[in-house]
């Protein structure tokens, strides 16, 4: 099925509309038939119960009374027949009027159906734009317009993502081919040059593997969760910090932590990747001798993990773009440092999959503060500590240098 077919309504929509019109006609006709039958029945019953006053002044009184009673019965029979004929005629008229009224009511739906049938991936920008009073049909049209807007946004994001991913994958492939051609055409190539080329190709292949892994993680996160297991954000933060400690030490960063229990539920592997990406982003996009603050805990029924860091000055308008795939502050789309601009987009996708709230703020002196609130999971017999708004570090934990020494404050 092509992408255009996904946005094209089913071919039986017109037949379904005719069925709805028939149902409305049957409903209108049935209501009129029932109400008309009840009205005629009541009228006939009242006329039959009515008493005729007969006054006579001679001996033929009983005979006249019987004659008048027979006449009354005949008139009632004639009236019943006339009622039946009028009732049958009105039933036919009600069916015709019901069909016309139903068509009038469903006319906006036919217009909307025709417009939606013409919308495809090529003209997804078109809208129904129904005007008129605010009623159920207007609400339906506005809802469809909102859905089309979200689909257009998602499709544009998908196109940008595919284009950026193709660019990111094409660059190392082009470099690999150039290295291989250079080596094969060099008649004076030595064993050392072959080894150097192999090492470069191995590094490029490793970087491609990291990019593909990030893309798979992003795609899996956007698909949602298949299962839920309990985990504690404080444990995940400790594990992620252990992995990032060497790079933090190499950059002379001071790491401050306040780890309090923050139980939640979901996919522990994805949640661990989220915390690791937050810490990796805070360490990598920092300044020499800067600071990283990591906090976990609970507030207002949410299990929280907050990571703040010093770094370059970021304007508030740039924050939203940082969570888009392949977007960086410097505007470049490729780097040879193993960072492809997918870290925070993966963070957002994993947070969305877990139903978590994500808040990102710039820091006045430079850097970024990110807080993510997962739905808290109750732990029997345990009341997790409360995290106040805008938490500050309480326990400094110096990062370790590659040589094993700790930087000083």
């Amino acid at each position: 099925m092509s992408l255009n077919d996904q946005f094209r309504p089913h071919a039986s929509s017109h037949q379904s509309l005719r069925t709805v019109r028939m149902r409305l006609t049957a409903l209108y006709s049935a209501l009129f038939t029932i109400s008309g039958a009840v009205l005629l029945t009541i009228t006939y019953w009242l006329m039959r119960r009515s008493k005729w006053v007969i006054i006579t002044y001679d001996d033929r009184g009983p005979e006249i009374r019987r004659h008048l009673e027979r006449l009354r019965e005949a008139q009632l029979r004639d009236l019943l027949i006339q009622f039946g004929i009028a009732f049958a005629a009105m039933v036919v008229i009600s069916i015709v009027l019901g069909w016309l009224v139903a068509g009038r009511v469903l006319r906006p739906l036919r217009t909307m159906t025709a417009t939606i049938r013409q919308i495809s991936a090529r003209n997804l920008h078109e809208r129904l734009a129904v005007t008129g009073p605010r009623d159920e049909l207007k609400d339906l049209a506005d809802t469809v317009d909102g859905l089309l807007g979200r689909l257009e946004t998602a499709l544009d994001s998908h196109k940008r993502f595919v284009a950026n991913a193709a660019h990111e994958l094409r660059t190392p492939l082009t470099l690999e081919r150039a290295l291989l051609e250079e080596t094969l055409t060099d008649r004076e190539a030595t064993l050392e040059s072959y080894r150097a080329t192999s090492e470069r190709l191995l590094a490029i292949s490793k970087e491609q593997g990291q990019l593909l892994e990030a893309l798979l993680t992003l795609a899996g996160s956007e698909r949602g969760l298949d299962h839920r297991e309990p985990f504690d954000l404080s444990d995940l933060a400790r594990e992620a910090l252990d992995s990032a400690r060497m790079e933090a030490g190499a950059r002379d960063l001071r790491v401050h932590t306040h780890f309090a229990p923050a139980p939640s539920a979901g996919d522990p592997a994805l949640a661990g990747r989220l915390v690791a990406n937050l810490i990796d982003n805070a360490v990598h996009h920092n300044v020499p001798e800067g600071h990283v603050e990591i906090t976990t805990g609970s507030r207002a029924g949410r299990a929280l993990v907050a990571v703040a860091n010093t770094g370059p000055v970021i304007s508030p308008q740039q924050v939203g773009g940082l969570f888009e795939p392949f977007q960086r502050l410097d505007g470049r789309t490729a780097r040879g440092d193993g960072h492809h601009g997918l870290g925070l987009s993966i963070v957002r996708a994993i947070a969305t999959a877990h139903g978590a709230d994500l808040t990102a703020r710039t820091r006045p002196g430079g850097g970024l503060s990110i807080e993510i609130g997962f739905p808290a999971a109750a732990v029997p017999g345990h009341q997790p500590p409360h995290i106040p708004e805008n938490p500050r570090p309480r326990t400094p934990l110096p990062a370790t240098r590659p040589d094993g020494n700790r930087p000083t404050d």
Side-chain angles (χ1 to χ4, degrees):
M1 180 180 293
S2 66
L3 186 61
N4 292 340
D5 294 336
Q6 297 178 8
F7 294 104
R8 187 173 293 114
H10 198 272
S12 63
S13 59
H14 183 65
Q15 182 65 31
S16 300
L17 190 63
R18 291 177 62 88
T19 302
V20 172
R21 188 175 185 180
M22 293 178 182
R23 291 177 180 176
L24 288 176
T25 302
L27 178 61
Y28 297 153
S29 302
L31 290 176
F32 178 83
T33 301
I34 294 174
S35 60
V38 172
L39 177 62
L40 292 179
T41 301
I42 294 175
T43 303
Y44 181 78
W45 179 73
L46 291 175
M47 293 185 65
R48 193 171 187 83
R49 281 178 54 88
S50 63
K51 301 297 183 180
W52 290 14
V53 179
I54 302 175
I55 303 176
T56 61
Y57 299 95
D58 52 24
D59 296 336
R60 293 183 302 171
E63 182 180 352
I64 295 176
R65 181 183 298 275
R66 288 192 296 271
H67 176 72
L68 291 176
E69 288 179 354
R70 288 193 297 270
L71 181 60
R72 178 173 180 269
E73 291 294 333
Q75 290 177 342
L76 288 175
R77 285 194 299 270
D78 292 341
L79 182 62
L80 183 60
I81 294 174
Q82 294 174 3
F83 276 179
I85 296 174
F87 179 71
M90 289 307 299
V91 168
V92 175
I93 294 175
S94 68
I95 293 175
V96 175
L97 291 178
W99 179 263
L100 296 177
V101 171
R104 175 70 176 179
V105 172
L106 295 176
R107 184 179 301 172
L109 287 180
R110 289 198 297 270
T111 303
M112 287 189 287
T113 301
T115 304
I116 294 175
R117 187 180 290 115
Q118 297 173 358
I119 294 177
S120 65
R122 296 185 180 90
N123 60 342
L124 198 57
H125 61 279
E126 294 186 6
R127 298 293 182 267
L128 301 179
V130 173
T131 59
R134 190 77 181 182
D135 54 13
E136 289 79 0
L137 294 179
K138 181 69 164 56
D139 289 341
L140 175 61
D142 292 344
T143 302
V144 173
D145 286 343
L147 174 61
L148 292 175
R150 293 190 295 272
L151 288 175
E152 182 182 12
T153 301
L155 184 59
D156 291 342
S157 177
H158 173 73
K159 291 179 179 178
R160 290 195 303 269
F161 178 82
V162 171
N164 291 330
H167 176 74
E168 293 281 345
L169 291 172
R170 182 179 60 184
T171 300
L173 288 175
T174 303
L175 181 57
E176 286 180 351
R177 181 174 181 176
L179 289 173
L180 291 173
E181 291 178 348
E182 180 183 356
T183 302
L184 292 175
T185 56
D186 186 5
R187 298 183 178 276
E188 298 180 357
T190 62
L191 180 61
E192 289 75 13
S193 62
Y194 278 111
R195 182 181 296 276
T197 301
S198 299
E199 291 177 350
R200 293 185 63 185
L201 291 174
L202 183 60
I204 295 173
S205 177
K206 181 179 179 181
E207 183 178 348
Q208 285 182 287
Q210 293 174 348
L211 175 59
L212 290 175
E213 181 183 358
L215 290 173
L216 290 175
T217 302
L218 180 60
S221 303
E222 293 179 339
R223 188 170 58 247
L225 301 181
D226 297 329
H227 64 283
R228 288 184 177 271
E229 299 177 9
F231 60 81
D232 195 311
L233 290 173
S234 61
D235 297 334
L236 300 180
R238 289 188 180 93
E239 296 175 3
L241 178 59
D242 289 339
S243 301
R245 194 183 299 277
M246 181 172 294
E247 183 179 359
R251 292 173 174 268
D252 291 331
L253 302 180
R254 300 291 300 179
V255 181
H256 303 270
T257 65
H258 176 65
F259 292 144
S264 185
D267 190 321
L270 289 179
R273 183 62 180 268
L274 177 146
V275 177
N277 281 9
L278 286 178
I279 296 177
D280 178 72
N281 182 78
V283 170
H284 185 77
H285 299 283
N286 214 313
V287 294
E289 299 182 358
H291 295 264
V292 176
E293 305 166 5
I294 308 172
T295 307
T296 63
S298 175
R299 183 177 67 237
R302 312 291 285 183
L304 302 178
V305 55
V307 178
N309 63 279
T310 53
V313 177
I314 303 174
S315 65
Q317 292 76 17
Q318 292 177 298
V319 174
L322 296 178
F323 292 88
E324 296 295 330
F326 304 106
Q327 297 299 315
R328 302 183 179 90
L329 287 176
D330 54 16
R332 291 181 291 176
T333 59
R335 243 183 215 171
D337 54 4
H339 292 77
H340 305 279
L342 291 172
L344 292 184
S345 61
I346 292 176
V347 166
R348 183 179 63 178
I350 296 176
T352 301
H354 284 79
D357 301 325
L358 189 153
T359 304
R361 300 185 180 90
T362 59
R363 294 162 61 97
L368 193 65
S369 175
I370 301 177
E371 179 181 282
I372 300 179
F374 287 78
V379 178
H382 175 72
Q383 181 66 28
H386 173 77
I387 295 183
E389 296 287 346
N390 299 324
R392 299 299 302 167
R394 298 181 182 178
T395 305
L397 178 63
T400 305
R401 295 177 183 269
D403 58 5
N405 298 323
R406 296 181 182 274
T408 59
D409 289 327

